[in-house]
Amino acid sequence: NAGVTQTPKFQVLKTGQSMTLQCAQDMNHNSMYWYRQDPGMGLRLIYYSASEGTTDKGEVPNGYNVSRLNKREFSLRLESAAPSQTSVYFCASSATGTASYEQYFGPGTRLTVT
Amino acid sequence: GQQLNQSPQSMFIQEGEDVSMNCTSSSIFNTWLWYKQEPGEGPVLLIALYKAGELTSNGRLTAQFGITRKDSFLNISASIPSDVGIYFCAGRTSGTYKYIFGTGTRLKVLA
């Protein structure tokens, strides 16, 4: 049982390049989330998916797109990377719709945009 | 965007001391979560709280859901060097799947 997995672990992009961050969970959770973490800012929600087939914007969605590919997988795409998107990106999942709303995180992707 | 007020921002303590930290919000929450994050890792869930007044322990860690439902507290007893890390609180309001996170308490333990 791997929990939440993310790929890649590290990535360096040049301004204007695009890339997709991958996330998968094996806990049969309904909801999945993408956060970014910057120094002194805590975790900020980019997008979330309450259930398969739905996605919604979070606090900082500009410059990002997401795809909930199936119940297990939720990807985050940067279409044209900017230096302001240098950050650590975390995917998380939770079993919403039940008594438990516990949210579990992946190990993160460290992205640098030059 | 809205964030929780988490205090203190950082703590330097001696091994064996007890630690207390808290989070406060202007919103009423239905769920409080407490996480620990170590360098280069993702946050790890420590304790989940679901009812006002609830007190839950996980080893040397004890967390409480404030009776006003606008605050939560985390205590660590008899700290050890491996307690070092950043501790985050997160709160969820009724009717949403989204959590709001505090900015973290950075804990350093001096042996």
Side-chain angles (χ1 to χ4, degrees):
Chain A
N1 189 333
V4 180
T5 56
Q6 293 183 238
T7 55
K9 196 166 178 63
F10 300 95
Q11 184 72 48
V12 178
L13 292 177
K14 295 188 188 306
T15 298
Q17 288 185 319
S18 62
M19 78 161 296
T20 300
L21 282 65
Q22 306 286 355
C23 174
Q25 53 90 10
D26 62 3
M27 296 176 281
N28 200 35
H29 285 168
N30 296 321
S31 297
M32 298 185 73
Y33 310 80
W34 277 105
Y35 294 89
R36 61 178 288 172
Q37 186 176 41
D38 302 297
M41 296 291 292
L43 287 149
R44 292 184 294 170
L45 184 65
I46 304 171
Y47 270 94
Y48 71 104
S49 170
S51 61
E52 187 178 354
T54 68
T55 60
D56 286 287
K57 295 178 180 179
E59 181 185 351
V60 288
N62 291 344
Y64 305 95
N65 286 301
V66 291
S67 295
R68 183 74 182 267
L69 304 171
N70 47 56
K71 191 172 186 178
R72 289 187 64 248
E73 299 172 287
F74 189 39
S75 63
L76 178 72
R77 183 159 179 84
L78 287 71
E79 290 291 352
S80 179
S84 61
Q85 294 178 305
T86 293
S87 188
V88 182
Y89 291 85
F90 289 101
C91 178
S93 70
S94 66
T96 53
T98 69
S100 168
Y101 285 84
E102 296 173 2
Q103 194 168 108
Y104 295 90
F105 283 82
T109 294
R110 284 139 189 85
L111 175 67
T112 301
V113 183
T114 62
Chain B
Q2 182 183 2
Q3 289 205 318
L4 300 178
N5 294 315
Q6 187 170 350
S7 64
Q9 284 190 319
S10 62
M11 303 179 73
F12 290 79
I13 62 170
Q14 294 287 338
E15 184 177 357
E17 288 184 351
D18 296 343
V19 173
S20 293
M21 60 190 78
N22 68 83
C23 281
T24 59
S25 168
S26 57
S27 302
I28 290 176
F29 287 142
N30 279 25
T31 307
W32 284 97
L33 304 178
W34 283 93
Y35 290 89
K36 178 187 178 185
Q37 186 178 25
E38 298 186 26
E41 305 290 331
V44 174
L45 182 64
L46 299 172
I47 293 176
L49 302 163
Y50 297 102
K51 296 179 183 177
E54 180 181 355
L55 194 69
T56 298
S57 293
N58 178 2
R60 293 177 296 104
L61 278 64
T62 301
Q64 184 165 23
F65 195 136
I67 57 173
T68 66
R69 297 172 63 192
K70 292 184 177 182
D71 53 11
S72 182
F73 310 89
L74 177 69
N75 295 313
I76 305 172
S77 62
S79 59
I80 59 178
S82 63
D83 289 333
V84 166
I86 303 176
Y87 292 79
F88 290 99
C89 62
R92 183 187 68 87
T93 57
S94 175
T96 178
Y97 301 126
K98 299 186 291 185
Y99 279 93
I100 300 167
F101 282 79
T103 51
T105 294
R106 186 180 297 272
L107 178 64
K108 295 198 175 181
V109 180
L110 306 174

